[in-house]
Short mmCIF file of all heavy atoms in Angstrom, two decimals:
data_model
loop_
_atom_site.label_atom_id
_atom_site.label_comp_id
_atom_site.label_asym_id
_atom_site.label_seq_id
_atom_site.Cartn_x
_atom_site.Cartn_y
_atom_site.Cartn_z
N ASP A 1 -1.92 -7.26 0.65
CA ASP A 1 -2.57 -7.60 -0.61
C ASP A 1 -3.77 -6.69 -0.87
O ASP A 1 -4.58 -6.44 0.02
CB ASP A 1 -3.03 -9.06 -0.57
CG ASP A 1 -3.57 -9.54 -1.90
OD1 ASP A 1 -3.12 -9.02 -2.95
OD2 ASP A 1 -4.44 -10.42 -1.91
N ASN A 2 -3.85 -6.19 -2.11
CA ASN A 2 -5.03 -5.47 -2.60
C ASN A 2 -5.37 -4.23 -1.78
O ASN A 2 -6.53 -3.98 -1.44
CB ASN A 2 -6.25 -6.42 -2.63
CG ASN A 2 -7.33 -5.93 -3.59
OD1 ASN A 2 -7.06 -5.17 -4.52
ND2 ASN A 2 -8.56 -6.35 -3.34
N LEU A 3 -4.37 -3.43 -1.47
CA LEU A 3 -4.60 -2.18 -0.76
C LEU A 3 -5.16 -1.15 -1.74
O LEU A 3 -4.61 -0.95 -2.82
CB LEU A 3 -3.30 -1.66 -0.16
CG LEU A 3 -3.39 -0.45 0.77
CD1 LEU A 3 -4.07 -0.86 2.08
CD2 LEU A 3 -2.00 0.10 1.06
N PRO A 4 -6.27 -0.46 -1.41
CA PRO A 4 -6.79 0.57 -2.31
C PRO A 4 -5.75 1.65 -2.57
O PRO A 4 -5.06 2.10 -1.63
CB PRO A 4 -7.99 1.13 -1.54
CG PRO A 4 -8.39 0.03 -0.62
CD PRO A 4 -7.12 -0.66 -0.23
N PRO A 5 -5.60 2.10 -3.81
CA PRO A 5 -4.55 3.08 -4.13
C PRO A 5 -4.61 4.34 -3.28
O PRO A 5 -3.57 4.90 -2.93
CB PRO A 5 -4.82 3.39 -5.61
CG PRO A 5 -5.48 2.17 -6.13
CD PRO A 5 -6.31 1.64 -5.01
N VAL A 6 -5.81 4.78 -2.92
CA VAL A 6 -5.94 6.01 -2.15
C VAL A 6 -5.26 5.89 -0.78
O VAL A 6 -4.87 6.90 -0.17
CB VAL A 6 -7.43 6.40 -2.00
CG1 VAL A 6 -8.15 5.41 -1.09
CG2 VAL A 6 -7.57 7.82 -1.46
N LEU A 7 -5.10 4.67 -0.30
CA LEU A 7 -4.49 4.46 1.02
C LEU A 7 -2.98 4.29 0.98
O LEU A 7 -2.34 4.22 2.03
CB LEU A 7 -5.13 3.23 1.69
CG LEU A 7 -6.63 3.31 2.00
CD1 LEU A 7 -7.08 2.01 2.66
CD2 LEU A 7 -6.92 4.50 2.90
N ILE A 8 -2.42 4.20 -0.21
CA ILE A 8 -0.98 3.93 -0.32
C ILE A 8 -0.13 5.01 0.36
O ILE A 8 0.77 4.70 1.14
CB ILE A 8 -0.57 3.74 -1.79
CG1 ILE A 8 -1.19 2.46 -2.33
CG2 ILE A 8 0.95 3.69 -1.93
CD1 ILE A 8 -0.92 2.21 -3.81
N PRO A 9 -0.38 6.31 0.11
CA PRO A 9 0.45 7.33 0.80
C PRO A 9 0.32 7.24 2.33
O PRO A 9 1.33 7.40 3.04
CB PRO A 9 -0.09 8.65 0.26
CG PRO A 9 -0.68 8.30 -1.08
CD PRO A 9 -1.28 6.94 -0.88
N LYS A 10 -0.90 7.02 2.83
CA LYS A 10 -1.08 6.90 4.28
C LYS A 10 -0.34 5.68 4.82
O LYS A 10 0.27 5.73 5.89
CB LYS A 10 -2.56 6.80 4.62
CG LYS A 10 -3.34 8.08 4.38
CD LYS A 10 -2.89 9.17 5.34
CE LYS A 10 -3.73 10.44 5.15
NZ LYS A 10 -3.25 11.55 6.03
N PHE A 11 -0.40 4.60 4.07
CA PHE A 11 0.29 3.39 4.47
C PHE A 11 1.79 3.63 4.51
O PHE A 11 2.49 3.16 5.42
CB PHE A 11 -0.06 2.25 3.52
CG PHE A 11 0.63 0.95 3.83
CD1 PHE A 11 0.43 0.32 5.04
CD2 PHE A 11 1.48 0.36 2.91
CE1 PHE A 11 1.06 -0.88 5.34
CE2 PHE A 11 2.11 -0.83 3.18
CZ PHE A 11 1.90 -1.45 4.40
N ALA A 12 2.31 4.36 3.53
CA ALA A 12 3.74 4.69 3.52
C ALA A 12 4.12 5.51 4.74
O ALA A 12 5.18 5.30 5.35
CB ALA A 12 4.08 5.45 2.24
N GLU A 13 3.25 6.45 5.14
CA GLU A 13 3.52 7.25 6.33
C GLU A 13 3.57 6.38 7.58
O GLU A 13 4.42 6.57 8.46
CB GLU A 13 2.45 8.33 6.49
CG GLU A 13 2.51 9.42 5.42
CD GLU A 13 1.37 10.42 5.59
OE1 GLU A 13 0.53 10.22 6.50
OE2 GLU A 13 1.30 11.39 4.80
N VAL A 14 2.66 5.42 7.66
CA VAL A 14 2.66 4.49 8.80
C VAL A 14 3.95 3.69 8.84
O VAL A 14 4.54 3.50 9.91
CB VAL A 14 1.44 3.54 8.71
CG1 VAL A 14 1.55 2.43 9.75
CG2 VAL A 14 0.15 4.32 8.90
N CYS A 15 4.40 3.24 7.69
CA CYS A 15 5.65 2.47 7.64
C CYS A 15 6.84 3.32 8.08
O CYS A 15 7.71 2.86 8.82
CB CYS A 15 5.89 1.94 6.22
SG CYS A 15 4.68 0.69 5.70
N LEU A 16 6.86 4.58 7.64
CA LEU A 16 7.94 5.47 8.03
C LEU A 16 7.94 5.75 9.53
O LEU A 16 8.99 5.90 10.15
CB LEU A 16 7.83 6.80 7.27
CG LEU A 16 8.26 6.79 5.80
CD1 LEU A 16 7.96 8.13 5.16
CD2 LEU A 16 9.74 6.46 5.69
N ALA A 17 6.75 5.80 10.10
CA ALA A 17 6.64 6.09 11.55
C ALA A 17 6.85 4.85 12.40
O ALA A 17 6.81 4.93 13.63
CB ALA A 17 5.26 6.67 11.85
N GLY A 18 7.11 3.73 11.76
CA GLY A 18 7.23 2.48 12.50
C GLY A 18 8.55 2.26 13.17
O GLY A 18 8.79 1.19 13.73
N ALA A 19 9.43 3.25 13.14
CA ALA A 19 10.73 3.18 13.84
C ALA A 19 11.50 1.91 13.49
O ALA A 19 12.00 1.20 14.36
CB ALA A 19 10.51 3.27 15.35
N GLY A 20 11.57 1.62 12.20
CA GLY A 20 12.35 0.47 11.75
C GLY A 20 11.59 -0.83 11.73
O GLY A 20 12.16 -1.87 11.36
N SER A 21 10.31 -0.83 12.10
CA SER A 21 9.54 -2.08 12.11
C SER A 21 9.19 -2.55 10.72
O SER A 21 8.89 -3.73 10.50
CB SER A 21 8.25 -1.89 12.92
OG SER A 21 8.54 -1.54 14.26
N TYR A 22 9.19 -1.63 9.75
CA TYR A 22 8.80 -1.97 8.38
C TYR A 22 9.92 -1.56 7.44
O TYR A 22 9.81 -0.58 6.70
CB TYR A 22 7.51 -1.28 7.99
CG TYR A 22 6.35 -1.57 8.93
CD1 TYR A 22 5.98 -0.67 9.91
CD2 TYR A 22 5.63 -2.75 8.82
CE1 TYR A 22 4.92 -0.94 10.78
CE2 TYR A 22 4.57 -3.03 9.68
CZ TYR A 22 4.23 -2.12 10.64
OH TYR A 22 3.19 -2.38 11.50
N GLU A 23 11.02 -2.30 7.46
CA GLU A 23 12.16 -1.96 6.62
C GLU A 23 11.99 -2.42 5.18
O GLU A 23 12.55 -1.84 4.27
CB GLU A 23 13.44 -2.57 7.21
CG GLU A 23 13.93 -1.86 8.46
CD GLU A 23 14.26 -0.40 8.20
OE1 GLU A 23 14.87 -0.10 7.15
OE2 GLU A 23 13.89 0.44 9.03
N ARG A 24 11.21 -3.48 4.98
CA ARG A 24 10.99 -4.03 3.64
C ARG A 24 9.51 -4.33 3.50
O ARG A 24 8.96 -5.19 4.18
CB ARG A 24 11.83 -5.29 3.43
CG ARG A 24 13.31 -5.09 3.73
CD ARG A 24 14.05 -6.39 3.74
NE ARG A 24 14.30 -6.87 2.39
CZ ARG A 24 14.59 -8.14 2.09
NH1 ARG A 24 14.59 -9.05 3.03
NH2 ARG A 24 14.84 -8.49 0.85
N VAL A 25 8.86 -3.60 2.59
CA VAL A 25 7.41 -3.68 2.44
C VAL A 25 7.07 -3.95 0.98
O VAL A 25 7.65 -3.35 0.07
CB VAL A 25 6.74 -2.38 2.91
CG1 VAL A 25 5.23 -2.44 2.67
CG2 VAL A 25 7.04 -2.11 4.39
N ALA A 26 6.12 -4.86 0.77
CA ALA A 26 5.60 -5.11 -0.59
C ALA A 26 4.08 -5.11 -0.52
O ALA A 26 3.49 -5.67 0.40
CB ALA A 26 6.10 -6.44 -1.13
N MET A 27 3.44 -4.47 -1.48
CA MET A 27 1.98 -4.41 -1.51
C MET A 27 1.49 -4.61 -2.94
O MET A 27 2.14 -4.21 -3.90
CB MET A 27 1.48 -3.09 -0.96
CG MET A 27 2.12 -1.86 -1.57
SD MET A 27 1.05 -0.44 -1.51
CE MET A 27 -0.25 -0.97 -2.60
N VAL A 28 0.34 -5.28 -3.05
CA VAL A 28 -0.24 -5.57 -4.36
C VAL A 28 -1.33 -4.57 -4.68
O VAL A 28 -2.17 -4.25 -3.83
CB VAL A 28 -0.83 -7.00 -4.39
CG1 VAL A 28 -1.60 -7.22 -5.69
CG2 VAL A 28 0.27 -8.03 -4.26
N CYS A 29 -1.32 -4.06 -5.91
CA CYS A 29 -2.39 -3.22 -6.42
C CYS A 29 -2.67 -3.69 -7.84
O CYS A 29 -1.79 -3.60 -8.71
CB CYS A 29 -1.98 -1.75 -6.40
SG CYS A 29 -3.31 -0.62 -6.87
N ASP A 30 -3.89 -4.20 -8.07
CA ASP A 30 -4.17 -4.77 -9.39
C ASP A 30 -5.62 -4.52 -9.80
O ASP A 30 -6.30 -3.68 -9.22
CB ASP A 30 -3.82 -6.26 -9.41
CG ASP A 30 -4.54 -7.06 -8.33
OD1 ASP A 30 -5.62 -6.62 -7.88
OD2 ASP A 30 -4.03 -8.12 -7.93
N ILE A 31 -6.09 -5.27 -10.78
CA ILE A 31 -7.39 -5.03 -11.40
C ILE A 31 -8.55 -5.22 -10.41
O ILE A 31 -9.65 -4.71 -10.63
CB ILE A 31 -7.57 -5.96 -12.62
CG1 ILE A 31 -8.65 -5.43 -13.57
CG2 ILE A 31 -7.89 -7.37 -12.18
CD1 ILE A 31 -8.25 -4.19 -14.30
N ARG A 32 -8.31 -5.94 -9.32
CA ARG A 32 -9.38 -6.14 -8.34
C ARG A 32 -9.83 -4.83 -7.72
O ARG A 32 -10.95 -4.71 -7.21
CB ARG A 32 -8.91 -7.10 -7.24
CG ARG A 32 -8.73 -8.53 -7.71
CD ARG A 32 -8.06 -9.36 -6.63
NE ARG A 32 -6.71 -8.89 -6.34
CZ ARG A 32 -5.98 -9.30 -5.31
NH1 ARG A 32 -6.47 -10.19 -4.46
NH2 ARG A 32 -4.77 -8.84 -5.13
N GLY A 33 -8.95 -3.81 -7.77
CA GLY A 33 -9.31 -2.51 -7.22
C GLY A 33 -10.10 -1.65 -8.19
O GLY A 33 -10.42 -0.50 -7.88
N GLY A 34 -10.41 -2.16 -9.38
CA GLY A 34 -11.15 -1.40 -10.38
C GLY A 34 -10.27 -1.11 -11.58
O GLY A 34 -9.04 -1.14 -11.50
N GLU A 35 -10.89 -0.80 -12.70
CA GLU A 35 -10.15 -0.61 -13.95
C GLU A 35 -9.50 0.76 -14.06
O GLU A 35 -8.65 0.98 -14.92
CB GLU A 35 -11.09 -0.82 -15.15
CG GLU A 35 -11.55 -2.25 -15.32
CD GLU A 35 -12.24 -2.45 -16.65
OE1 GLU A 35 -11.96 -1.68 -17.59
OE2 GLU A 35 -13.06 -3.37 -16.76
N ASN A 36 -9.88 1.70 -13.22
CA ASN A 36 -9.32 3.05 -13.28
C ASN A 36 -8.06 3.12 -12.43
O ASN A 36 -8.13 3.09 -11.20
CB ASN A 36 -10.34 4.08 -12.81
CG ASN A 36 -9.86 5.50 -13.03
OD1 ASN A 36 -8.69 5.73 -13.36
ND2 ASN A 36 -10.76 6.46 -12.86
N PHE A 37 -6.91 3.21 -13.10
CA PHE A 37 -5.65 3.25 -12.36
C PHE A 37 -5.14 4.66 -12.14
O PHE A 37 -4.00 4.85 -11.74
CB PHE A 37 -4.59 2.40 -13.09
CG PHE A 37 -4.71 0.93 -12.77
CD1 PHE A 37 -5.50 0.12 -13.55
CD2 PHE A 37 -4.08 0.39 -11.66
CE1 PHE A 37 -5.64 -1.22 -13.27
CE2 PHE A 37 -4.22 -0.95 -11.36
CZ PHE A 37 -4.99 -1.76 -12.17
#
């Protein structure tokens, strides 16, 4: 929940390196992170 957008690519890399541990991932990014999307 509420992962800062700048961290999304890094988070995706972590999921890819998880050797199948993260096959289905959902993350929320909304107005709580600021109005600049």
